[in-house]
């Protein structure tokens, strides 16, 4: 019998919320799982975002090489315009493809960057796909006819639906929060039902499912989930929202328990997140600061922030280059999610900008100024760390990366909108990403009840490949997490190094513009609702 592995992705999971939930008895299975398995923090990439996080996890490569650095990418190396990333932007081989080439099969459910589909053996139902297009985006395509017969199947709730998600969280009224949580409880159950069906009907060597509700709930409802934020004297409504959030986690715990039970005692089970989470309490307007310092001039049509949330309206993100007067701009933030600052170099993305000979000097002055930027109220630094592109994105795709990537004291994302202030408190605490995610594992040969030092997200793919009994491709940047295994069992099965990965083939045909535009609009709406685009 071959080795089997299960990967349960928990989007945005952090021990900061999971530990209290386990302590309070909301997630009893997870607690039991860890008592007989291992845990560690899983350090995400920079920036700790969903697309680069999952791309790194499933390729074992860093963003500078696989090329996914944000929700967005430049349309081409010489363009200032941006579009959403998809599977074509993942320039390194995924674990699904690595194991398929070696004769193994995978089931992959709800992972991002799976469209358009790439060849693999097994079954894939993509995440982040508009429901209308889901039938043609499953792999193999006939898979859709099978999953639609699964009891309770509702494609609009399973995939992305603009109206449904919009309806659930427009504004902030009580009923809408409740709908949002219920929607995600139903969605996780649906993905689980598809998983159950496929694990029974077509068991695969590697079964991977991504539950993404943790991320969705934490973005909006952090103040009801983090014990440090929960009000000491909650109103009846606040208590109800908190209880519903707990119900989501309780039900998720049940789905994880059933998945692990179906996998059986012989399977290695891994739980991993793409990034962690934490609170955000303020908004830093990076372009407003660059404007004050003389680096950026606004174009006539620049959008002023009137939302109190630092958010950019639907669809505006792809037009963000038109907010800037390029003839008078030398540095700018292009997307809020990347926390990136680009330096305009003449000839790089247009005629205007600094002379290339000035680049090192300008970048170093800008870094000094950013480090000196303080909160006038407290004197504390706003920018806690700045990484150059060589530090954050060294690799074959570095030319697509921002020149500087900022970590801000709030831990959150910058706003790129026009604003008359540089720093503004948020009206209420929201959840935002942190690099520290979670890793948990249990199975034959895996140590029991151990809490281990942090792993890197790029270690997950080689560890999975090794657990499946396959040689680990020689060019993965991550390494097998040897410390999770009992020394004797690890020695009995040492790491085998195999051939390097294969570069994914370019897609043969051009994309269908109309359908893609619809899909993009839906993704952008989801990002806006979640507060990513802010
Ligand atoms: Zn995520």
């Amino acid at each position: 019998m071959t080795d089997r592995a299960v990967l349960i992705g928990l989007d945005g999971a952090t021990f900061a919320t999971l530990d209290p939930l386990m302590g309070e008895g909301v997630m009893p299975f997870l607690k039991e799982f860890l008592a007989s398995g291992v845990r560690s923090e899983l350090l995400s990439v920079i920036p700790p975002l969903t697309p680069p996080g999952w791309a790194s996890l499933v390729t074992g490569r860093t963003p500078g090489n696989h090329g996914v650095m944000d929700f967005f990418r430049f349309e081409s190396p010489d363009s200032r315009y941006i579009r959403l990333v998809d599977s074509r932007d993942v320039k390194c081989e995924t674990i699904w493809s690595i194991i398929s080439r070696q004769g193994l099969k995978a089931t992959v459910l709800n992972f991002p960057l799976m469209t358009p589909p790439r060849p693999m053996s097994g079954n894939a139902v993509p995440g982040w796909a508009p429901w209308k297009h889901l039938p043609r985006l499953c792999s193999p395509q006939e898979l859709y006819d099978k999953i639609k017969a699964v009891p309770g199947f509702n494609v609009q709730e399973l995939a992305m639906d603009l109206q449904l998600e919009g309806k659930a969280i427009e504004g902030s009224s009580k009923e809408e929060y409740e709908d949002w949580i219920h929607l995600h409880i139903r969605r996780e159950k649906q993905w689980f039902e598809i998983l159950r069906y496929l694990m029974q009907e077509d068991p695969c060597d590697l079964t991977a499912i991504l539950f993404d509700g943790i991320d969705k709930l934490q973005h909006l409802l952090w103040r009801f989930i983090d014990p440090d934020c929960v009000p000491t004297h909650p109103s009846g409504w606040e208590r109800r929202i908190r209880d519903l959030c707990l119900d989501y986690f309780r039900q998720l715990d049940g789905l994880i328990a059933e998945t692990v039970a179906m996998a059986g005692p012989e399977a290695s089970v891994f739980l991993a997140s793409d990034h962690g989470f934490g609170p955000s309490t303020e908004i830093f307007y990076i372009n407003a600061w660059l404007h004050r310092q003389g680096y950026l001039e606004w174009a006539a049509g620049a959008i002023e922030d009137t939302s109190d949330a630092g958010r950019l309206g639907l669809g505006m993100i792809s037009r963000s280059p038109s907010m800037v007067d390029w003839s008078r701009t030398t540095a700018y933030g292009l997307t809020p999610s990347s926390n990136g600052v680009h330096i305009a170099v003449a000839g790089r993305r247009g005629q205007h900008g600094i002379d290339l000979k000035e680049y090192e000097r300008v970048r170093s002055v800008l870094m000094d100024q950013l480090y000196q930027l303080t909160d006038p109220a407290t004197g504390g630094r706003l920018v806690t760390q700045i990484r150059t592109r060589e530090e954050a994105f060294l690799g074959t795709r570095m030319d697509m990366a921002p020149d500087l990537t900022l970590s801000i004291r709030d831990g959150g994302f910058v706003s790129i909108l026009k604003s008359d202030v540089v720093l503004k408190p948020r009206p209420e605490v929201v959840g935002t990403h942190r690099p520290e995610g979670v890793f948990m594992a249990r199975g034959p040969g895996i140590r029991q009840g151990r809490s281990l030092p942090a792993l890197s997200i790029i270690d997950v793919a080689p560890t999975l490949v090794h657990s499946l009994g396959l040689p680990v491709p020689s060019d993965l940047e991550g390494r097998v997490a040897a410390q999770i295994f009992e020394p004797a069992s690890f020695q009995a099965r040492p790491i085998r190094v195999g051939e390097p990965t294969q570069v994914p083939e370019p897609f043969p045909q051009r994309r269908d513009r109309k359908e893609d535009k619809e899909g993009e609009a839906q993704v952008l709406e989801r990002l806006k609702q979640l507060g990513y685009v802010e």
Side-chain angles (χ1 to χ4, degrees):
M1 195 181 137
T2 57
D3 300 294
R4 292 208 163 173
V6 173
L7 169 65
I8 301 174
L10 300 175
D11 202 300
T14 164
F15 287 121
T17 54
L18 293 184
D19 277 333
L21 291 165
M22 286 187 270
E24 288 169 42
V26 177
M27 304 191 83
F29 176 76
L30 206 55
K31 189 175 175 182
E32 179 203 313
F33 183 91
L34 288 179
S36 49
V38 296
R39 63 178 274 167
S40 77
E41 273 191 345
L42 189 64
L43 297 177
S44 189
V45 289
I46 299 297
L49 288 173
T50 302
W54 289 120
S56 303
L57 190 141
V58 305
T59 60
R61 306 294 303 267
T62 54
N65 284 313
H66 61 61
V68 179
M69 301 170 178
D70 191 353
F71 285 102
F72 308 94
R73 53 155 287 171
F74 285 112
E75 282 185 343
S76 68
D78 55 2
S79 169
R80 286 197 187 100
Y81 284 84
I82 53 176
R83 64 166 176 77
L84 286 160
V85 291
D86 62 31
S87 64
R88 290 167 296 187
D89 301 309
V90 184
K91 301 299 183 189
C92 293
E93 191 173 21
T94 61
I95 188 171
W96 332 124
S97 164
I98 293 169
I99 71 161
S100 294
R101 278 196 295 109
Q102 306 198 52
L104 270 54
K105 275 177 24 175
T107 283
V108 188
L109 302 178
N110 199 26
F111 277 74
L113 302 165
M114 297 291 286
T115 61
R118 282 206 173 269
M120 58 170 270
S121 354
N123 312 288
V125 184
W128 291 83
W131 68 269
K132 268 194 212 165
H133 304 315
L134 197 66
R136 67 174 179 90
L137 295 173
C138 292
S139 171
Q141 224 170 31
E142 315 84 80
L143 179 61
Y144 185 78
D145 290 328
K146 294 183 191 161
I147 63 167
K148 78 179 184 195
V150 169
F153 185 80
N154 174 340
V155 67
Q156 274 166 279
E157 289 198 351
L158 180 80
M160 215 164 32
D161 181 62
L162 187 74
Q163 286 180 330
L164 197 64
E165 294 191 20
K167 188 168 147 277
I169 54 163
E170 255 166 37
S172 59
S173 83
K174 302 172 180 183
E175 297 73 22
E176 287 158 353
Y177 277 6
E178 292 179 30
D179 286 349
W180 181 245
I181 306 166
H182 285 303
L183 170 67
H184 287 289
I185 292 175
R186 292 195 302 272
R187 181 175 278 162
E188 309 295 39
K189 275 191 182 157
Q190 275 213 59
W191 281 108
F192 170 76
E193 289 301 336
I194 293 170
L195 178 84
R196 182 189 345 240
Y197 167 80
L198 288 170
M199 282 180 95
Q200 285 165 356
E201 297 299 314
D202 187 21
C204 288
D205 306 283
L206 173 60
T207 302
I209 183 165
L210 174 49
F211 293 115
D212 60 15
I214 296 181
D215 181 277
K216 307 276 199 64
L217 262 59
Q218 288 182 158
H219 267 294
L220 253 75
L221 305 171
W222 181 262
R223 63 190 189 280
F224 301 94
I225 297 170
D226 178 1
D228 292 342
C229 294
V230 172
T232 18
H233 302 290
S235 68
W237 171 71
E238 286 169 331
R239 201 186 305 272
R240 201 158 69 242
I241 297 299
R242 160 104 180 139
D243 287 346
L244 266 178
C245 288
L246 297 188
D247 195 41
Y248 166 83
F249 283 99
R250 192 176 291 114
Q251 302 218 33
L252 177 64
D253 190 67
L255 301 182
I256 296 169
E258 284 194 69
T259 305
V260 175
M262 280 191 292
E266 294 308 311
S268 306
V269 179
F270 300 90
L271 280 78
S273 64
D274 52 343
H275 50 76
F277 243 83
S280 168
T281 55
E282 62 189 19
I283 308 166
F284 171 41
Y285 293 91
I286 180 67
N287 283 342
W289 180 81
L290 288 167
H291 172 67
R292 280 194 193 180
Q293 302 300 312
Y295 288 100
L296 181 147
E297 198 49 63
W298 297 107
I303 307 149
E304 188 121 18
D305 182 28
T306 50
S307 67
D308 249 11
R311 284 185 193 169
L312 204 55
L314 168 63
M316 291 312 295
I317 183 77
S318 55
R319 300 217 292 275
S320 78
S322 59
M323 288 167 56
V324 169
D325 177 349
W326 292 105
S327 66
R328 293 187 292 163
T329 291
T330 50
Y332 56 99
L334 188 63
T335 74
S337 44
S338 69
N339 277 6
V341 174
H342 295 264
I343 295 172
V345 177
R348 204 203 256 175
R349 299 187 190 282
Q351 293 308 306
H352 298 288
I354 59 161
D355 193 296
L356 186 59
K357 291 200 288 278
E358 289 289 290
Y359 178 74
E360 291 291 342
R361 187 190 62 79
V362 170
R363 188 170 76 165
S364 130
V365 170
L366 177 56
M367 284 174 77
D368 286 345
Q369 288 172 310
L370 280 163
Y371 273 133
Q372 282 159 21
L373 169 62
T374 52
D375 177 354
T378 63
R381 273 186 179 179
L382 289 187
V383 178
T384 52
Q385 192 167 9
I386 307 171
R387 290 173 177 87
T388 62
R389 54 157 60 167
E390 297 89 338
E391 288 166 333
F393 298 103
L394 192 65
T396 53
R397 307 288 294 167
M398 195 174 76
D399 59 339
M400 303 292 270
D403 295 286
L404 300 174
T405 300
L406 315 184
S407 298
I408 53 179
R409 71 165 178 189
D410 181 52
F413 302 119
V414 300
S415 174
I416 58 166
L417 293 178
K418 192 174 175 181
S419 162
D420 50 6
V421 294
V422 167
L423 190 67
K424 198 195 269 185
R426 289 184 185 280
E428 51 202 2
V429 178
V430 299
T432 190
H433 296 190
R434 293 283 190 280
E436 297 83 10
V438 303
F439 176 85
M440 300 171 245
R442 191 175 92 172
I446 294 176
R447 299 165 91 172
Q448 302 200 357
R450 292 299 188 99
S451 181
L452 300 170
L455 291 174
S456 165
I457 196 163
I458 55 173
D459 296 338
V460 176
T463 305
L464 272 168
V465 172
H466 175 72
S467 294
L468 287 163
L470 297 177
V472 179
S474 58
D475 57 343
L476 298 189
E477 292 166 79
R479 51 176 201 86
V480 176
Q483 65 269 43
I484 73 166
F485 299 101
E486 294 290 353
S489 79
F490 189 69
Q491 276 163 17
R493 196 162 105 167
I495 299 166
R496 289 186 293 146
V497 178
E499 294 293 307
T501 54
Q502 290 187 358
V503 177
E505 304 249 337
F507 277 85
Q509 79 245 25
R510 304 267 324 153
R511 57 169 156 178
D512 180 333
R513 299 300 307 184
K514 182 176 169 286
E515 287 184 355
D516 277 346
K517 284 293 163 206
E518 274 176 38
E520 286 208 355
Q522 300 229 349
V523 172
L524 285 166
E525 179 63 15
R526 177 183 266 187
L527 292 177
K528 181 189 157 210
Q529 287 161 354
L530 291 174
Y532 278 111
V533 178
E534 64 181 3

